[in-house]
Structures are given as structure tokens and as C-alpha cells.
Amino acid sequence: MENKTIEEQQSKQKPVSRKKTILSVVIVLMITAIVFIIFFNFNDFNETLELLKTVDGVHMAMAFLCLLGYAALWPLSLCFIAKQNNFKAHFLDVYFIGESEHFFNAITPFSTGGQPIQVYLFTQRKVKAGDSTGIIVSNFIAFMIASNIFAIASLVYYGKFSENFTASTAWMIGFGFAMNLFTLVFMVLIASCKFVRDILRKGLILLCKIKFIGKHLTKMIPAFETYCENAQVAAKKIFSHKTSFIGAILLKMLALVFYYAIPFFILKALGAQFGYELLPYVILASAFAITTMVWVPTPGGTGGIEFAFTTIFTASLFGGLSSSIGITGMILWRALTYYLLMIISFIAYLTFEILLKKGKRKLQQSEVAEGMKKEEEIIEVSED
């Protein structure tokens, strides 16, 4: 009974207010500005401008199409899991909610904002928080499995991708890969193991004995327990459908191929002379770069991911590209995969809100019409 009450409270409370969203976007822009100021203190800004003037439109268009392909494919795994498990929501609702994940992940540390807002959005369509939590957690695990497959494959070329890392920065690689794998294992355990949930709950209670921690953390423990319980009940059902879960993983892998291929076309647009035989290496190098900096706590990994991109794609494997091409490529890559994708995702969120309002208005109109019809029937009966 207590869990149900907590779940109802969560469904009524919007996780991200408009003010918090705007503040988060402003913080992201400020962090990005600081990062680019630091980068250009060590590199020639005018040289970057000159390179931008020479960008090949055909290859940039292909990079843009890869981004659109990634954005279009991304929500399909969530739709697939929902469809296979008779999830009570319309395909378009699931699709647009799935697409909105990028925006809320992009403005929160460690990309953690997407899941709570997705659960909230589903409750607006009268879906139980427990059911939506189950498919969202399962979809995230499918993504983590897919990304870890690419990350592990990229380690085959560890020596080539890491050649520009120094002794003082090489630790980032190990730490990033360990964090990525830990996140996958942790989410699988949360979604499948009651024993782990109980240990975590006891650990949180122990931490709450420290006054300044307990003041803020105590009230979050019941919500955490509800989240775990919802995830385990629903995920158990979803994982039993092995075909649908494997299908979700394959859809995520296909989406990631488009995403990881974007740097190839950007660097070609800037004049890189390597051929299409290096495309598989670029895909794995992208996975290597992103995994290396997965631990950076800034929204979207800002600061860390720029460093990893320029360090890896100026390696000799890619023809020893100049630092200017590396930095300019990083700017274009970041513009597409972070800011443009954030805009696309935000448009998907707005589209969902518009559809939601139209649906509510239509429901109200039908309720009014039904009420008027009943009144007319009552009047007719009374006259008779």
C-alpha cells in the first residue's frame, strides 16, 4: 500500500520543471563556452575558421544523414519492447517519448535525466509508473549491452587509438571502460536481483545516519525501493521474451553504427585523405572515445569528450591529422551529435506535448457531448 502511494505521488510530480530545464541548458552553454575558450587558448582560432570555410558539403550532408538515421532508429528499440510486451500506449507516444530522452540526458550530469522524465510522460498517457519503468530500464540495458559490445571490440586496436595519450591521461581509458561495464552490471542486477536491492537499501539507510546526508537522502529511499521493485517486476516479464530483447539490442547496435560513423564523414569533409576502408576503424574509434570519457560528470560529458576526440583522431592510424583538423572536426561533431540532436529531441518532446493536449481536449469534448446526450435523454424521459 505504501509503495502504491509513493508511485502515485511520483506520477503526479513533474521531475523537471521549466525553470530547471532552462537553467540546465544555460549551464550546458556556459560549460561549453569555457571548454572552447580553453581549447582555443592552445590552438589557432583563425586556422579553425579557415578550415570551416573549406568544408565539403557532400560529406557534411552524409554526416547529417547519419545523425538523422541515428535519431530515427533510436526510439525503435523502446517501441519494439513495448509492442512485444503488449504495452498500453500508442506507437507514436512511445516513439516521441523515446526520442525525447536525448534532450533530458543532454542537460543532466551523467546523462541521468532521461529515464525519470520518460516515466512521467508515460503517466500522462495513463500508463502505470511500474510498467513504464520496466520497459525503460530494459531498453537502457539493451543500449548498455550494445555500447559495451562496440567498446570491447574497440580494445582490439587499443595501441593505435591510445598512442597520443600520455602517462598522465592514460588512466582515463581504463576508468571509462570500467565505469561503462560497471553501469551495465549494476543495471542488470537492479532489474533482476532482489538481494542487491536489499543491500543497496541497507547501505542507504546506513549513510542516512550521517546527519547532513540523512537530511536529504532519507526521503528518497522509499522512492528508490519503488523504482527497484517496479523495474524487477516488469523487467522479469520482458527478459522472458528473449527474442524481443535481442531484437532491441540489435536495433541499438544499428543506431550506434550510424552514430559512430559521423566522425568519418566530418573528417573527410575537412580534407582527410583516408578512404572508406578506414570506416570500420572510425566507428570503433568513436566508441573508444565516448567510452573513455563516460565518467565525466558534466552534461553530455562536455570537456572530456572533446579532449578524447581530438586525441584519438589525430593518431597515425588516421594519417596523422593535424591538431587543427582534429579540433575543427570535434567542433562540427559536437555541433551535430550534441546540440543538433538536442534540438531534434526537444522537438520530439514538444510534439508529444501537442499530441497530449489534443488528446485531452478531444476527450473533454467527447465527455461534454456524452453529458449533454444523457441530459437530453433524461429530459425526454421526464416529458414522457
Side-chain angles (χ1 to χ4, degrees):
M1 186 72 180
E2 184 182 353
N3 284 348
K4 185 178 179 182
T5 303
I6 293 166
E7 186 173 326
E8 288 174 351
Q9 289 174 349
Q10 286 177 325
S11 67
K12 291 176 183 177
Q13 184 178 3
K14 192 166 183 176
V16 182
S17 67
R18 288 183 180 180
K19 287 183 179 179
K20 285 183 179 179
T21 301
I22 294 170
L23 180 61
S24 297
V25 172
V26 171
I27 291 172
V28 167
L29 294 174
M30 288 176 63
I31 293 172
T32 304
I34 292 168
V35 168
F36 279 104
I37 288 170
I38 293 171
F39 264 87
F40 285 122
N41 276 338
F42 296 95
N43 297 277
D44 191 345
F45 179 70
N46 291 325
E47 195 172 346
T48 298
L49 287 178
E50 291 301 316
L51 272 171
L52 288 172
K53 293 176 183 178
T54 65
V55 168
D56 175 51
V58 174
H59 283 105
M60 274 307 299
M62 293 178 75
F64 177 70
L65 288 174
C66 281
L67 179 73
L68 291 183
Y70 169 71
L73 287 167
W74 178 262
L76 291 182
S77 59
L78 185 66
C79 295
F80 189 68
I81 291 173
K83 176 72 174 176
Q84 295 297 311
N85 291 275
N86 300 316
F87 191 67
K88 295 180 180 179
H90 192 275
F91 173 83
L92 285 178
D93 289 330
V94 180
Y95 188 87
F96 287 125
I97 289 173
E99 192 68 71
S100 68
E101 180 182 2
H102 296 297
F103 174 72
F104 293 102
N105 278 346
I107 62 174
T108 50
F110 293 111
S111 300
T112 56
Q115 288 188 28
I117 192 67
Q118 283 179 306
V119 172
Y120 168 77
L121 293 177
F122 276 123
T123 62
Q124 299 305 292
R125 282 300 193 188
K126 309 303 180 184
V127 177
K128 291 180 180 179
D131 294 339
S132 57
T133 299
I135 70 161
I136 289 166
V137 169
S138 300
N139 186 56
F140 179 71
I141 291 173
F143 162 66
M144 288 305 302
I145 291 172
S147 66
N148 270 280
I149 288 172
F150 280 103
I152 292 169
S154 73
L155 289 175
V156 174
Y157 303 100
Y158 174 85
K160 296 181 183 295
F161 295 157
S162 65
E163 70 174 42
N164 287 338
F165 283 85
T166 64
S168 61
T169 57
W171 65 270
M172 297 177 182
I173 300 172
F175 190 58
F177 276 76
M179 280 286 292
N180 207 46
L181 187 59
F182 170 78
T183 303
L184 170 60
V185 173
F186 179 77
M187 290 306 299
V188 169
L189 291 175
I190 282 288
S192 61
C193 186
K194 187 177 183 298
F195 175 71
V196 172
R197 184 188 76 185
D198 292 339
I199 289 177
L200 287 171
R201 181 178 60 81
K202 289 176 182 178
L204 291 173
I205 292 172
L206 194 63
L207 278 173
C208 288
K209 290 183 178 181
I210 303 171
K211 284 187 178 181
F212 74 93
I213 294 178
K215 184 179 179 182
H216 303 284
L217 194 61
T218 302
K219 57 187 177 182
M220 296 172 65
I221 293 176
F224 172 75
E225 289 179 323
T226 302
Y227 171 83
C228 292
E229 187 175 338
N230 289 339
Q232 288 180 5
V233 171
K236 185 178 180 180
K237 178 184 174 184
I238 290 167
F239 290 156
S240 65
H241 296 81
K242 295 181 177 61
T243 304
S244 65
F245 188 64
I246 292 171
I249 294 170
L250 293 176
L251 282 168
K252 284 300 184 196
M253 290 185 71
L254 181 60
L256 287 173
V257 167
F258 279 90
Y259 184 74
Y260 292 150
I262 293 172
F264 177 85
F265 296 105
I266 289 176
L267 294 173
K268 289 282 288 181
L270 291 171
Q273 296 302 309
F274 49 69
Y276 278 83
E277 70 278 0
L278 278 185
L279 179 56
Y281 294 97
V282 172
I283 289 172
L284 292 177
S286 299
F288 189 89
I290 292 167
T291 306
T292 295
M293 292 300 170
V294 74
W295 55 272
V296 178
T298 54
T302 303
I305 196 65
E306 291 85 357
F307 167 78
F309 184 97
T310 52
T311 303
I312 291 168
F313 284 105
T314 52
S316 58
L317 174 64
F318 304 107
L321 299 175
S322 67
S323 60
S324 296
I325 289 180
I327 289 172
T328 308
M330 176 270 293
I331 292 170
L332 292 173
W333 176 70
R334 200 64 169 155
L336 283 178
T337 61
Y338 188 66
Y339 297 102
L340 183 56
L341 184 61
M342 190 193 299
I343 293 169
I344 292 171
S345 181
F346 185 64
I347 291 171
Y349 166 68
L350 290 179
T351 304
F352 169 79
E353 291 287 357
I354 291 168
L355 292 175
L356 181 65
K357 287 179 181 178
K358 283 185 177 179
K360 286 181 177 179
R361 195 180 301 120
K362 191 174 181 181
L363 181 63
Q364 287 173 351
Q365 289 172 350
S366 64
E367 287 176 348
V368 170
E370 189 177 341
M372 291 175 67
K373 186 178 179 182
K374 285 182 179 179
E375 286 181 4
E376 289 174 358
E377 290 174 353
I378 292 170
I379 293 170
E380 287 177 1
V381 170
S382 63
E383 288 178 348
D384 292 340

